Amino acid sequence: MEIDLGNSIKDETQKLIESYSSLALIVSSRANVLAMNSRARIIADLLSNGTLTDLEDLIEASAKKQVITEGVVAATMGKGSFIWDVTVLPENTTGNLLILARDRTEDHAREAEFIREQNHGKIREYIFSSLWNELDPQQRLLNAAKTMVEVLGINGCCIYRQTKKGQDLVVAQCDSEEEKKALISKIPTIDHGAKPVTMNIGSLEVLSIATQYGQDANGCVAIWKSSEAEGWGDDQRTLFSEISSQVGIANEHLIKYERIVALSRTDSMTGLLNRRAFLAEELPRRVARLKRSGEPAALFYIDIDNFKLVNDAFGHRAGDNVIMSLREMLMDLSRPGDVLARMGGDEFAMWLDGVGADVAEARAQELIKRSTCMKNMSGAVDKLLGLSVGIATFLPDSGENLENLMGRADSAMYAVKRKGKGGFQMASAERDGKILIKT
């Protein structure tokens, strides 16, 4: 744009705007552009179009008071946004004004990015701290879910882990039970990938991603908010991906922790509870619950007769087959809520909840009947395999402690041994501090 300045602008001023390294304009007191350098095209056009009202205010104030005014001016043109630091200088001789501006658009973008990165980093560190400052693996994931809801401004969060049966819910953090019910079963059906994916479920917008450990997926994490809220931005997606990588590690820790706990509680061959877990953990919980409910129970002590001869005659593999054969019998005769344990070697225990003496005796008869199939695995024809079983019924109102209960079952089992093996015996319930054996 060529502008004839006439005599209204001195040559020195014209040279000034042409030599200025940034944006320079000369305007009248009415904000009409009189001259500019090549770098001022955008700001000149916006001013001419009446778009830069902030700049017009600076020009008016400078012209009216004949003072230098400064300010920040921002505008949008098309898809671009611009920010300038502006200084307006009045010319005493002409009444025109010199505008010097520095384009701060890129600087502002860098500053905004820096602030975003700082906030991003603070949020990330806060969530990571809530995750890794906790020692309990289950609580770690709960802390992560709670913190995400707290700092991300979302409605809720669910974390799942991968099992052989599919995605298993680990934690769900949400104030709305209605939202939990609507989402918990549906989130695992989403086709999760290594990058966040979105899905609208009812009035909620869900953002979910697979969690990984190494190259293997081990679960997923999902967050959600109202579909009426602003969508998930790039920053949120990036942060969510970073969080999911840590959740994947925590998920693996939980899986390994539970494996270790399971190994510490179970017999490696049979998968049944071991002696410590049965006596120190499971039975005390069962007895406490039955004392509250008033229901009876039955404790079976089971020993394989002449088992050592099998190992001596045929080796330990044959002995293992006998052990597994008894395991299958006990599994068939127990219910999902009952407890089985391998106490060590050829000794087993079975706890039947809600069972009185009559049912326990019938179950023992069936066990002895089925055990006859073990005879063909015997180590000697005159020393046949069989079972010696002692049963003690637990009555919650008897005041009997676990030690006495176990002692009665054990004594009943050894009474069978002394009588020739291959049978069962019911121990009478304790009365008046005495243990009576029913023959």
Side-chain angles (χ1 to χ4, degrees), residues 19 39 84 106 170 226 236 261 281 288 298 328 340 361 375:
S19 63
R39 290 168 291 281
W84 299 278
E106 291 186 4
V170 180
S226 170
Q236 287 176 308
V261 170
E281 298 176 15
E328 295 307 313
L340 303 176
E361 185 169 348
K375 292 181 179 179

Side-chain angles (χ1 to χ4, degrees), residues 100-297:
L100 303 177
R102 186 166 70 89
D103 191 341
R104 287 286 313 280
T105 304
E106 291 186 4
D107 292 343
H108 181 76
R110 284 194 293 269
E111 288 172 4
E113 180 63 24
F114 178 71
I115 292 171
R116 280 196 300 271
E117 281 295 324
Q118 278 192 319
N119 292 336
H120 181 104
K122 289 178 181 178
I123 293 172
R124 180 181 57 212
E125 291 305 316
Y126 184 59
I127 294 174
F128 288 3
S129 295
S130 73
L131 190 65
W132 298 118
N133 287 345
E134 173 61 50
L135 294 177
D136 182 81
Q138 177 86 23
Q139 188 64 37
R140 280 178 187 164
L141 292 169
L142 179 58
N143 287 354
K146 286 181 177 179
T147 308
M148 279 191 271
V149 173
E150 175 189 345
V151 303
L152 298 181
I154 56 178
N155 290 24
C157 173
C158 284
I159 298 174
Y160 299 77
R161 63 176 174 179
Q162 186 68 43
T163 67
K164 292 181 180 179
K165 296 181 180 180
Q167 300 283 4
D168 184 30
L169 180 68
V170 180
V171 295
Q173 180 63 31
C174 179
D175 291 335
S176 170
E177 289 298 323
E178 184 178 344
E179 288 183 10
K180 279 186 187 179
K181 291 179 181 178
L183 295 178
I184 284 175
S185 62
K186 294 181 180 178
I187 287 173
T189 66
I190 299 174
D191 186 14
H192 300 98
K195 293 183 179 180
V197 295
T198 59
M199 173 178 282
N200 287 321
I201 300 178
S203 62
L204 302 171
E205 185 174 4
V206 179
L207 183 68
S208 65
I209 189 172
T211 60
Q212 292 182 300
Y213 185 75
Q215 299 300 315
D216 299 323
N218 64 0
C220 67
V221 56
I223 57 177
W224 64 88
K225 58 185 177 181
S226 170
S227 56
E228 296 178 357
E230 186 178 351
W232 305 104
D234 291 340
D235 287 348
Q236 287 176 308
R237 289 172 179 270
T238 300
L239 178 60
F240 187 52
S241 295
E242 293 173 353
I243 294 170
S244 73
S245 68
Q246 298 299 304
V247 171
I249 297 171
N251 242 345
E252 190 66 20
H253 286 184
L254 176 60
I255 292 168
K256 289 181 177 178
Y257 172 77
E258 291 183 342
R259 285 176 186 163
I260 291 170
V261 170
L263 288 172
S264 72
R265 299 184 75 239
T266 57
D267 172 62
S268 59
M269 180 191 299
T270 63
L272 305 180
L273 289 182
N274 58 28
R275 183 183 188 88
R276 182 196 62 79
F278 182 71
L279 297 180
E281 298 176 15
E282 198 63 33
L283 282 195
R285 282 199 296 265
R286 299 275 174 152
V287 167
R289 186 174 70 247
L290 292 174
K291 283 182 177 179
R292 292 192 297 270
S293 67
E295 293 181 301

Side-chain angles (χ1 to χ4, degrees), residues 8-116:
S8 64
I9 301 178
K10 295 180 180 179
D11 292 341
E12 307 87 66
T13 305
Q14 181 63 40
K15 291 178 181 179
L16 174 64
I17 64 171
E18 290 175 350
S19 63
Y20 188 58
S21 62
S22 191
L23 293 75
L25 307 88
I26 293 176
V27 300
S28 69
S29 60
R30 293 180 178 273
N32 296 319
V33 177
L34 302 175
M36 66 178 180
N37 63 13
S38 60
R39 290 168 291 281
R41 170 65 65 182
I42 293 176
I43 196 171
D45 289 346
L46 292 170
L47 183 60
S48 298
N49 293 337
T51 306
L52 295 180
T53 55
D54 290 344
L55 180 54
E56 290 176 6
D57 291 342
L58 291 174
I59 292 170
E60 182 182 354
S62 182
K64 185 176 181 179
K65 298 179 181 180
Q66 287 295 296
V67 295
I68 297 172
T69 56
E70 296 179 319
V72 177
V73 175
T76 300
M77 177 180 282
K79 295 184 178 180
S81 297
F82 303 91
I83 298 175
W84 299 278
D85 284 339
V86 174
T87 302
V88 181
L89 303 94
E91 287 187 329
N92 294 330
T93 57
T94 65
N96 298 321
L97 301 105
L98 172 64
I99 299 176
L100 303 177
R102 186 166 70 89
D103 191 341
R104 287 286 313 280
T105 304
E106 291 186 4
D107 292 343
H108 181 76
R110 284 194 293 269
E111 288 172 4
E113 180 63 24
F114 178 71
I115 292 171
R116 280 196 300 271

